[in-house]
């Protein structure tokens, strides 16, 4: 760690991990409700559990992105963060908003619009938080060195804030409502978040392999142009059956099929860089998360997304467990893992530890990943069965739910495995390995 | 560097061939008659389209100076698309 | 292109292509999109050949051919602009780009007349699958022609050889796509 203000990332990463734990516990509870449908039906209905599961996910990923930006922007721009005070205020405001939202959900205070359930004042607070953050980061970037990594990261973060503004637009026409609703989370995950992810991965690869920055930057440009070309119109695959004109079926099918390309490019990029640059960086765990992220993002977002993206197929699979399978592996592979990668990389520096509980961290990688992959497979099987029974044979929804119950038990078990992996990760990241020595904050960097 | 770009004369010659091929395409596709073409003429149409595309790639885009991997890639792409379209045409049930 | 390769180093295989390598990422993406769209068109036609042939009869096949020639000619001007620029003749290169832009604009004019005729006759994007795809594919291409003209104008103004090669590459791609679109949508029956 070279810059004092990189420490600003620390509370963000802590909050991210805390909410991560809350998120997977919520997920575990929701998975249990699938097995015992009446569990907590009165006290905390399923829709509220699900709300906590999804909202906590988004919020902790944002905490992670904010933390990642505060950590890597000083190193990239070679200058301190513009205002540490703003960063600290922003942290507490965001944490307060997130806590208030979750507490409110438990008491049934929410606006009901899926994923955008936050009460208006919390949405406003989110915008204020985003503006504080963007101001702070952009000012830092303006006075410092402008690298492709930091420019693309900041571009992605601006896009994130910009698309969130559509959360405030809620037309009474249901088709229009849905049309703009998709702008918020889905232009994130299929567009601007991919830029953030690519930038963070590029930063990690430069630091850990010592490869020539020039090469990484060129890959970044290729990945970013493919992402923007395919992702923005590819979002049309959400417009198949919401009352929008039929031509969206063609636009959505064609462009979203190509969304596999940037994810594939990221895999090629990551492995090529590691092969050329070598993988002898002491933080093997961070390397594992980085490469794992590229691979599982490709499968979860790319392959599992393509599986049901063509309109004639989606006509049958829409809203089945196939969607849940894709959602889980895509979010985990792309955005959870990129956050865990930067946390694993940065935490030893932030805590002034030599690489720490590496072995434990790597165990958590394998446990969490295999749990999640198994969950995806069970949901995919459930989804295919559900599609066949319900959409092809015409059996009613509730009867089909009984038929696929077995897969929900398997999914519940894989959820337990994931939760164990998550707890292990948090422990490995925060614990002190007695075998290791405290060496102070200035660990030598791999050559750049 | 100058040797690498096609000469003015060659570019004009390629342009003339492209225009001639387009006129050929108009004839093969009977632009002024509303009749069925039949599979032979449709094959001619698509082959002409492929030939024109290759000329554009080779001379306008100067692909002849790039690596053979790219050349093969572009030609393979054209072949795949055009044969797919032709295949679909052949598989279309007669009315 | 030897001087270009110096600041184009690190692009791997992309550096053997003329102009900015990112333009070639775009060109490939476009080719994949139009390739997929034309393949989709062929399959949709296979499934409903009566509608497709009956609808196609309403297109103006001559206008399509005319527009092919317009783009080919405009493409020649763009290629010549690059050619004379590499000979060091900057102002002649500018003029060739201006010709390319003027001739290219004719494409838009013809296409607008065509769209107007179809809309007047009551065929819009929701009429049937043929017209959905006709409007999507040619409309998307039309949008690229507009973009292409803007790009040509920019590189005519900032006319370094690399810029010219990049802009011309985009324009030739637009040309190439029309060469594929025209026979498949207007003629095959």
């Amino acid at each position: 760690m070279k810059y004092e203000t990189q420490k600003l990332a620390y509370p963000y990463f802590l909050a991210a991990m805390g909410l991560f734990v809350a998120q997977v516990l919520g997920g575990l509870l929701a998975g249990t409700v699938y097995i015992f449908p009446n569990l907590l039906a009165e006290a905390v209905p399923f829709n509220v559990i699900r709300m906590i599961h999804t909202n906590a996910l988004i919020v902790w990923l944002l905490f992670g992105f904010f933390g990642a930006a505060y950590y890597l922007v000083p190193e990239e721009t070679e200058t301190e963060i513009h205002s540490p005070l703003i960063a600290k205020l922003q942290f507490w405001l965001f944490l307060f908003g997130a806590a208030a939202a979750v507490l409110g959900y438990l008491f049934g205070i929410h606006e009901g619009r899926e994923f955008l359930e936050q009460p208006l004042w919390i949405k406003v607070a989110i915008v204020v938080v985003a503006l504080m953050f963007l101001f702070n980061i952009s000012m830092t970037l303006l006075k410092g060195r402008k690298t492709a990594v930091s420019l693309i990261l900041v571009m992605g973060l601006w896009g994130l804030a910009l698309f969130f503004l559509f959360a405030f637009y809620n037309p009474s026409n249901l088709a229009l409502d849905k049309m703009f609703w998709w702008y918020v989370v889905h232009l994130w995950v299929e567009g601007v978040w991919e830029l953030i992810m690519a930038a963070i991965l590029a930063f990690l690869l430069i630091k850990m392999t010592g490869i020539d920055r020039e090469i990484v930057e060129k890959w970044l440009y290729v990945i970013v142009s493919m992402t923007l070309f395919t992702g923005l119109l590819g979002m049309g695959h959400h417009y198949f059956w919401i009352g929008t004109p039929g031509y969206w079926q063609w636009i959505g099918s064609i462009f979203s099929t190509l969304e596999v390309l940037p994810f594939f490019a990221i895999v090629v990029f990551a492995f090529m860089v590691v092969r050329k640059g070598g993988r002898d960086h002491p933080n093997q765990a961070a390397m594992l998360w980085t490469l794992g992220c590229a691979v599982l993002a490709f499968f979860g977002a790319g392959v599992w997304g393509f599986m049901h993206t063509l309109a004639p197929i989606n006509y049958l699979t829409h809203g089945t467990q196939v969607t849940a399978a894709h959602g889980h592996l895509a979010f985990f592979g792309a955005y959870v893992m990129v956050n865990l990668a930067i946390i694993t990389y940065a935490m030893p520096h932030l805590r002034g530890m030599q690489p720490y509980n590496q072995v434990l961290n790597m165990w958590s990688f394998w446990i969490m990943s295999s749990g999640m992959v198994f969950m995806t497979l069970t949901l995919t099987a459930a989804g295919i069965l559900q599609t066949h029974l319900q959409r092809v044979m015409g059996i009613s929804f509730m009867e089909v739910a009984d038929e696929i119950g077995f897969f929900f038990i398997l999914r519940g078990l894989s959820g337990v495995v994931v939760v164990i992996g998550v707890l292990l990760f948090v422990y490995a990241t925060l614990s002190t390995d007695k075998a290791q020595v405290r060496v102070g904050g200035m660990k030598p960097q791999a050559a750049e | 560097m100058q040797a690498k770009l096609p000469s003015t004369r060659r570019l004009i010659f390629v342009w003339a061939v492209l225009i001639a091929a387009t006129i050929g395409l108009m004839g093969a596709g009977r632009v002024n008659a509303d009749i069925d073409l039949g599979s032979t003429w449709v094959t001619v149409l698509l082959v002409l389209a492929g030939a024109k595309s290759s000329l554009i790639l080779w001379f306008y885009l100067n692909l002849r100076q790039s690596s053979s991997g790219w050349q093969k890639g572009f030609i393979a792409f054209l072949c795949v698309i055009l044969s797919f379209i032709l295949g679909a045409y052949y598989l279309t049930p007669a009315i | 292109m030897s001087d270009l390769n110096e600041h184009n180093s690190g692009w791997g295989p992309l550096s053997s292509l003329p102009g900015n390598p990112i333009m070639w990422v775009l060109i490939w993406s476009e080719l994949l999109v139009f390739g997929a769209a034309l393949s989709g068109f062929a399959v949709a036609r296979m499934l409903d050949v009566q509608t497709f042939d009956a609808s196609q009869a309403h297109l103006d096949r001559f206008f399509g051919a005319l527009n092919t020639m317009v783009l080919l000619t405009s493409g020649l001007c763009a290629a010549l602009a690059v050619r004379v620029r590499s000979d060091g003749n900057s102002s002649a290169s500018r003029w060739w780009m201006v010709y390319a832009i003027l001739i290219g604009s004719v494409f838009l004019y013809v296409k607008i007349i065509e769209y107007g005729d179809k809309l007047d006759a009551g065929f819009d994007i929701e009429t049937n699958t043929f017209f959905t795809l006709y409007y999507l594919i040619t409309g998307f291409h039309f949008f690229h022609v507009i973009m292409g003209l803007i790009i040509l104008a920019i590189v005519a103004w900032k006319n370094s050889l690399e810029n010219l090669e990049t802009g011309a590459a985009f324009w030739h791609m637009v040309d190439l796509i029309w060469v594929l679109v025209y026979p498949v949508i207007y003629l095959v029956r």
Side-chain angles (χ1 to χ4, degrees), chain A residues 214-215 217-219 221-222 225-226 229-230 233 245-248 250-251 254-255 258 261, chain C residues 9-11 14 22 25-26 29-30 32-33 36-37 40 44 125-126 129 132-133 136 140:
Chain A
E214 290 257 296
I215 294 175
E217 291 187 341
K218 271 149 194 171
W219 272 96
Y221 289 132
V222 171
S225 32
M226 287 203 285
F229 183 82
T230 61
L233 283 172
Y247 52 79
W248 279 108
W250 288 96
I251 300 178
I254 291 173
F255 281 91
L258 298 177
L261 291 179
Chain C
S9 63
W11 284 107
L14 280 174
I22 287 296
V25 175
L26 182 66
S29 308
E30 302 280 7
L32 288 174
V33 165
I125 193 163
E126 306 241 43
T129 312
T132 298
L133 285 170
L136 274 186
F140 198 52

Side-chain angles (χ1 to χ4, degrees), chain A residues 414-425:
Chain A
S414 57
V416 175
V417 176
V418 172
V419 170
I420 293 172
V422 173
L423 295 175
L424 202 58
F425 178 87

